[in-house]
């Protein structure tokens, strides 16, 4: 089959590699260019996808300076490095698959949506939860009317104890000033997902939360600077030695989270990275400031409400949700949905088939597929969340954070 969509990858890190690999499974797609500052990542992705040396760039800016060389760009740089390539590449006529957060201020998010509309390019924001088979089942059930009108929602995002330590205490998303606040970094997906399921605009929001545990005051007596030379490491749930040595030999865990820590795949290599790198630091002696727990209460137009909890202190598991309607209620955990029908008093279970290879329960695959279909068909509205909807989810997330920081109820227009 002839290639119909050419893609370039901006940022060949964890997400950029994943999207490239998923897209390349589709025979209609070719990866034609890659930009990354890191030579190893750039070369690895380029070689895997036969990108010629002349199309390997150390900075997306080199790409933006020349005439368009692909139909679309995947922007998978870190959070603060999204808006510049998004604006420049939209200007060049590239369709965009843009990682969340779209940008780190509301003005920049507005500017990206305006640029995409002005240049008539397709803009998809990577709210992968929307594209899971699970969400499709939920959507179908809600649309069928089986639970009537939604009145209340209870939604839990279990971040997972070691994931919090990895990404939000030791890692890339530990500081608001270097990336963004926790709710935006982690839970803009959830706010977006709730907006999608409730299907009405959010009108009021309140929020509480903070950084409870990963701070100096909580440091146990005897804790060292680094896990590798800490006397109490064997008893610490957040031991980097245990977390990362435990990844060795497990292909999925070697890809993530271990790849972020080191490219080594030996015990000695991992220990070396923990001896010197950021991921070997004691969780009570890091420079993190993002919250480890937060609740958000939302009221939607018409009066339905949702309560959302994000917390570090859980298993690393899929989100858990209860939706309460006028004619029934349902409960879902990513793998199955159980519906109680008030008319019959009967319960019905729906099992979801999910790929073991997709870290977001099929959402990454679903998103990439939808993006390609949108480009091939020229009808993004049939396949993708609109840029304006994604923007709204970001704005609600900012409102929730404002509510937390100011101890107020924030009204959304
Ligand atoms: N949608 C999701 O579910 C989801 C999940 C995890 C992360 N993310 C988001 O994806 C984004 C990427 O995360 P990641 O974990 O892949 O990060 P990463 O650090 O693994 O990759 C980012 C890459 O961008 C490269 N880069 C930096 N400056 C560049 C430049 N000027 N030109 C080209 N490349 C440049 C870096 O060298 C790095 O390889 C983040 O914004 C993150 O918040 C989204």
């Amino acid at each position: 089959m002839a290639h119909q969509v050419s893609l370039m990858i901006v940022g060949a890190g964890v997400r950029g590699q994943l999207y490239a690999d998923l897209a390349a499974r589709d025979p209609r797609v070719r990866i034609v260019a890659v930009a990354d500052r890191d030579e190893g990542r750039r070369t690895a992705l380029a070689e895997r996808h036969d990108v010629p040396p002349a199309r390997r760039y150390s900075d997306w800016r080199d790409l933006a300076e020349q005439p368009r060389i692909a139909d679309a760009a995947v922007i998978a740089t870190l959070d603060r490095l999204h808006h510049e390539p998004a604006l420049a590449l939209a200007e060049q006529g590239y369709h965009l698959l843009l990682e969340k957060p779209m940008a780190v201020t509301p003005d920049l998010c507005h500017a990206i949506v305006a640029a995409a509309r002005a240049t008539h390019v397709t803009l998809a924001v990577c709210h992968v939860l929307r594209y899971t088979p699970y969400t499709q089942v939920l959507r179908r059930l809600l649309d069928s009317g089986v639970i009537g009108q939604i009145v209340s929602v209870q939604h839990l995002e279990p971040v997972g104890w070691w994931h919090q330590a990895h990404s939000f205490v030791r890692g890339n998303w530990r500081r608001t000033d270097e990336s963004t606040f926790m709710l935006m970094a982690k839970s803009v997906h959830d706010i977006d997902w709730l907006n999608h399921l409730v299907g009405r605009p959010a009108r009021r929001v309140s929020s509480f939360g903070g950084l409870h545990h990963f701070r100096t005051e909580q440091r146990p007596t005897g804790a060292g600077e680094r896990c590798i030379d800490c006397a109490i490491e064997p008893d610490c749930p957040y031991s980097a030695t245990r977390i990362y040595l435990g990844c060795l030999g497990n292909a999925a865990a070697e890809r993530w989270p271990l790849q972020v820590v080191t490219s080594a795949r030996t015990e000695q290599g991992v220990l070396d990275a923990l001896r010197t790198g950021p991921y070997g630091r004691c969780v009570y002696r890091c420079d993190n400031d993002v919250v480890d727990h937060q609740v958000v209460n939302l009221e939607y137009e018409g009066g339905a409400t949702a309560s959302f909890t994000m917390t570090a202190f859980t298993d690393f598991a899929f989100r858990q949700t209860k939706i309460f309607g006028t004619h029934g209620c349902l409960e879902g955990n990513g793998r199955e949905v159980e519906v109680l029908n008030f008319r019959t008093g009967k319960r019905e279970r729906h099992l979801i088939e999910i790929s073991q290879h997709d870290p977001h329960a099929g959402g990454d695959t679903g998103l990439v597929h939808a993006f390609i279909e949108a480009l091939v068909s020229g009808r993004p509205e049939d396949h993708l969340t609109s840029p304006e909807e994604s923007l709204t989810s970001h704005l609600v997330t900012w409102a929730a954070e404002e509510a937390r920081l100011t101890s107020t109820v924030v009204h959304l227009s």
Side-chain angles (χ1 to χ4, degrees), residues 75-304:
I75 300 182
T77 41
L78 284 173
D79 300 355
R80 290 189 174 255
L81 306 176
H82 289 176
H83 66 276
E84 281 190 89
L87 292 169
L89 297 174
E91 188 63 35
Q92 292 280 80
Y94 288 94
H95 301 295
L96 299 178
L97 183 63
L98 174 62
E99 259 304 356
K100 48 56 50 181
M102 301 167 73
V104 293
T105 69
D107 284 351
L108 289 171
C109 292
H110 277 288
I112 291 170
V113 173
R117 288 301 183 201
T119 54
H120 305 289
V121 298
T122 295
L123 167 62
V125 178
C126 298
H127 287 306
V128 295
L129 290 186
R130 285 219 191 193
Y131 298 90
T132 60
Y134 168 61
T135 301
Q136 281 157 21
V137 168
L138 278 178
R139 187 69 269 164
R140 216 172 42 241
L141 286 165
L142 294 172
D143 289 346
S144 77
V146 64
I147 71 160
Q149 290 170 9
I150 296 175
V151 181
S152 318
V153 182
Q154 209 180 55
H155 180 64
L156 171 71
E157 181 180 22
V159 177
W161 84 101
W162 62 262
H163 181 202
Q164 181 84 24
H166 170 74
S167 292
F168 307 102
V169 180
R170 297 178 169 122
N172 287 332
W173 295 274
R174 70 191 184 284
R175 290 180 65 88
T176 304
D177 62 354
E178 287 186 11
S179 58
T180 182
F181 52 98
M182 183 74 183
L183 202 69
M184 182 61 80
K186 192 75 189 89
S187 310
V188 67
H189 285 309
D190 299 85
I191 301 291
D192 179 70
W193 193 74
L194 288 169
N195 286 350
H196 175 55
L197 289 186
V198 173
R200 286 163 177 264
R203 287 298 177 225
R204 294 196 291 173
V205 58
S206 68
S207 180
F208 301 95
L211 178 57
H212 173 81
H213 189 63
F214 302 100
R215 42 198 299 158
T216 316
E217 300 88 306
Q218 301 280 8
R219 179 158 48 95
T221 310
E225 293 281 337
R226 288 184 171 269
C227 300
I228 202 153
D229 51 23
C230 172
I232 61 159
E233 175 275 322
D235 280 336
C236 179
Y238 305 101
S239 157
T241 322
R242 187 183 318 110
I243 293 171
Y244 298 115
L245 286 180
C247 296
L248 288 172
N250 172 337
E254 285 185 357
R255 187 171 174 131
W256 185 85
L258 189 60
Q259 183 194 169
V260 182
V261 178
T262 173
S263 54
R265 293 294 173 266
T266 61
E267 190 172 320
Q268 196 50 52
V270 173
L271 292 176
D272 286 346
L274 300 186
R275 191 167 291 114
T276 53
Y279 292 90
R281 293 180 291 173
C282 171
V283 290
Y284 306 103
R285 291 175 186 257
C286 288
D287 54 348
N288 56 306
D289 64 10
V290 300
V291 304
D292 54 19
H293 70 296
Q294 185 164 356
V295 294
V296 177
N297 283 326
L298 294 145
E299 183 187 60
Y300 296 89
E301 196 170 278

Side-chain angles (χ1 to χ4, degrees), residues 10-16 19 35-38 41 58-61 76-79 81-82 99-101 126 128 172-173 189 360:
V10 174
V14 176
R15 300 299 297 173
Y19 290 128
D36 199 297
R37 286 186 178 285
D38 182 291
R41 291 174 172 191
S58 57
D59 196 305
W60 62 265
R61 290 175 186 84
T77 41
L78 284 173
D79 300 355
L81 306 176
H82 289 176
E99 259 304 356
K100 48 56 50 181
C126 298
V128 295
N172 287 332
W173 295 274
H189 285 309
H360 285 116

